[in-house]
Amino acid sequence: MKIEYTTSTIITSAVKAPDTSILIIYTGGTLGMVHNENGVLIPFDFSLIMDHIPSLRQLELNITVLSFQTPIDSSNVNPQHWREIGEKIYTNYDKYDGFVVLHGTDTMAFSASAISFMLENLQKPVIFTGAQLPISSSRSDARENLITALEIASTKINKKPVVPEVAIYFDSVLLRGNRSKKVESQQFDAFESENYPMLAESGVDINYNHKFIHRTEQKKDLIFHGSFDTNIVVLKLFPGISKEAVEGIINIPNLRGIVLETYGSGNAPTHDWFLTPLKKAIEKGIIILNVSQCPGGKVDQGRYETSEGLHAMGVIGGSDLTIEAAVTKLMIVLAEEKNIENIKSRMIESICGEMSIN
Ligand code: ASP
């Protein structure tokens, strides 16, 4: 799959040449929709952004926009899109001070998580945003979300970017990308990060929570990770799940990883019909990662009897990983490692702040 782009350059300052450059990657989603003369929503031509957001002029930025020639609803996003977005940031890394990715909200937390793992040693802002209402709508949240995302992506203190990590800005809050989750489809406050404090909050000022912002040690080169192994599955538990369903999933051909969505602090049924197939899967070399269905708290295998069996057979405890971070991290680690012990040790390490380590 090759994605075609259209490029437009927008210099927002009317007064003097701006000294900060931002690359916007526009992928699609609700934000970029406008009503045509028949009232139908169609993708927006980004070169006309100043008509929709005249206050962009006050930012004094040199903006380049790379637009997917065919913008997509984020329900159609797949790892090839992550590779494309990541590659665009990687190859343009030195040319820009920061990056803003405009993306549909439905899978934004997956994409932000993936990009955070793909760009090792990132030292510049990569801010994802989108909107609940299209930019052409009078009450749209697109304008505020985009302007503030641009401001965050371009803010420096002592010549250093304030947010040198992958984050999602939405409805006044800046959240770590790989800690975020879409939690709302009707109201404007679409994202939450239950297990990690917000990185900033915007009101009259943007107040940064500096001590929670991830920083990579200086003088490390950016390393690009662009491969994903999609031979994984999410097995979400529910009372009444059948032996056939569990066995069917475990027997998927070429399966290499299972993200097991358990109850509470990592608990699961203790019946033999449930534990035995999982144990056999592990013996075959399938990685099983335990993440909780609870948005808050973390997996603590062995705390209850109902998670002791999982721990004993070698299921990896996923601490407080979100499902979005678990899926994307597992795909990348499986693509890069064949050795089970290496996979395990990378999965229990926090790569860029995605999980709490005891
Ligand atoms: N379905 C849209 C998408 O994720 C929703 C949105 O943009 O908010 O692309």
Side-chain angles (χ1 to χ4, degrees):
M1 183 189 71
K2 187 84 202 105
I3 295 172
E4 301 294 335
Y5 293 87
T6 48
T7 308
S8 29
T9 305
I10 302 155
I11 296 182
T12 60
S13 165
V15 190
K16 63 175 173 79
D19 55 12
T20 303
S21 297
I22 300 292
L23 179 65
I24 295 180
I25 302 174
Y26 168 54
T27 67
T30 300
L31 177 138
M33 297 278 164
V34 288
H35 290 96
N36 71 5
E37 57 281 7
N38 302 320
V40 175
L41 283 172
I42 54 164
F44 162 63
D45 174 358
F46 234 99
S47 58
L48 303 177
I49 188 138
M50 292 298 245
D51 299 344
H52 287 272
I53 317 186
S55 52
L56 268 179
R57 274 181 225 290
Q58 288 156 15
L59 289 181
E60 297 197 346
L61 295 175
N62 201 334
I63 299 173
T64 304
V65 186
L66 283 180
S67 308
F68 280 19
Q69 224 163 52
T70 312
I72 55 169
D73 186 295
S74 77
S75 302
N76 283 321
V77 161
N78 63 47
Q80 282 171 299
H81 296 103
W82 299 336
R83 188 174 309 128
E84 276 281 339
I85 298 167
E87 233 165 44
K88 284 283 175 250
I89 297 171
Y90 180 71
T91 51
N92 287 288
Y93 191 65
D94 294 335
K95 284 210 294 208
Y96 296 93
D97 299 284
F99 302 83
V100 170
V101 182
L102 302 179
H103 194 290
T105 55
D106 289 348
T107 62
M108 189 187 290
F110 283 94
S111 296
S113 299
I115 299 293
S116 76
F117 301 131
M118 291 166 74
L119 299 172
E120 187 180 339
N121 300 330
L122 181 71
Q123 297 189 28
K124 292 185 179 181
V126 176
I127 312 298
F128 277 72
T129 196
Q132 296 285 60
L133 278 176
I135 202 161
S136 61
S137 152
S138 55
R139 292 177 48 251
S140 177
D141 48 341
R143 285 176 281 274
E144 197 281 320
N145 284 349
L146 174 55
I147 290 193
T148 309
L150 284 167
E151 192 166 335
I152 292 168
S154 57
T155 299
K156 292 183 185 175
I157 295 181
N158 298 330
K159 299 196 174 151
K160 293 202 171 121
V162 172
V163 186
E165 63 165 304
V166 179
I168 291 181
Y169 176 75
F170 215 93
D171 191 44
S172 320
V173 294
L174 183 73
L175 308 173
R176 175 165 298 158
N178 55 35
R179 293 285 198 154
S180 306
K181 207 173 244 317
K182 182 172 177 181
V183 292
E184 173 61 59
S185 62
Q186 296 285 320
Q187 306 297 321
F188 288 131
D189 51 348
F191 289 90
E192 261 176 31
S193 156
E194 188 73 29
N195 283 318
Y196 198 75
M198 59 179 88
L199 306 182
E201 189 168 21
S202 88
V204 172
D205 296 311
I206 301 176
N207 291 314
Y208 291 95
N209 232 340
H210 293 281
K211 69 174 181 197
F212 294 111
I213 296 174
H214 182 78
R215 267 162 232 289
T216 296
E217 270 175 57
Q218 288 305 314
K219 293 197 176 27
K220 282 195 169 174
D221 288 342
L222 186 68
I223 299 171
F224 181 62
H225 301 262
S227 303
F228 297 86
D229 189 333
T230 55
N231 287 307
I232 70 160
V233 74
V234 176
L235 170 50
K236 181 169 185 152
L237 299 184
F238 57 92
I241 190 168
S242 68
K243 179 175 187 276
E244 290 71 25
V246 174
E247 286 182 354
I249 286 175
I250 284 170
N251 289 322
I252 292 172
N254 304 321
L255 190 68
R256 291 193 63 212
I258 300 173
V259 179
L260 185 64
E261 258 205 284
T262 55
Y263 307 124
S265 55
N267 306 318
T270 49
H271 313 294
D272 275 352
W273 66 260
F274 176 76
L275 294 177
T276 304
L278 293 186
K279 193 159 181 278
K280 283 195 184 139
I282 291 178
E283 283 162 8
K284 273 197 329 200
I286 294 174
I287 296 294
I288 306 185
L289 176 66
N290 184 351
V291 299
S292 174
Q293 294 177 15
C294 292
K298 65 184 170 95
V299 165
D300 183 4
Q301 292 189 143
R303 179 160 167 216
Y304 288 87
E305 194 190 3
T306 43
S307 63
E308 268 184 333
L310 299 177
H311 178 64
M313 72 174 77
V315 170
I316 303 169
S319 184
D320 52 1
L321 276 178
T322 60
I323 188 73
E324 294 84 350
V327 162
T328 52
K329 183 175 177 179
L330 190 57
M331 282 187 191
I332 291 186
V333 171
L334 288 178
E336 295 183 352
E337 301 282 357
K338 299 289 166 246
N339 178 286
I340 301 289
E341 289 315 310
N342 292 352
I343 295 170
K344 282 190 177 171
S345 65
R346 281 181 65 179
M347 289 308 298
I348 58 171
E349 259 172 30
S350 177
I351 297 174
C352 47
E354 73 278 11
M355 65 198 270
S356 308
I357 304 295
N358 298 334

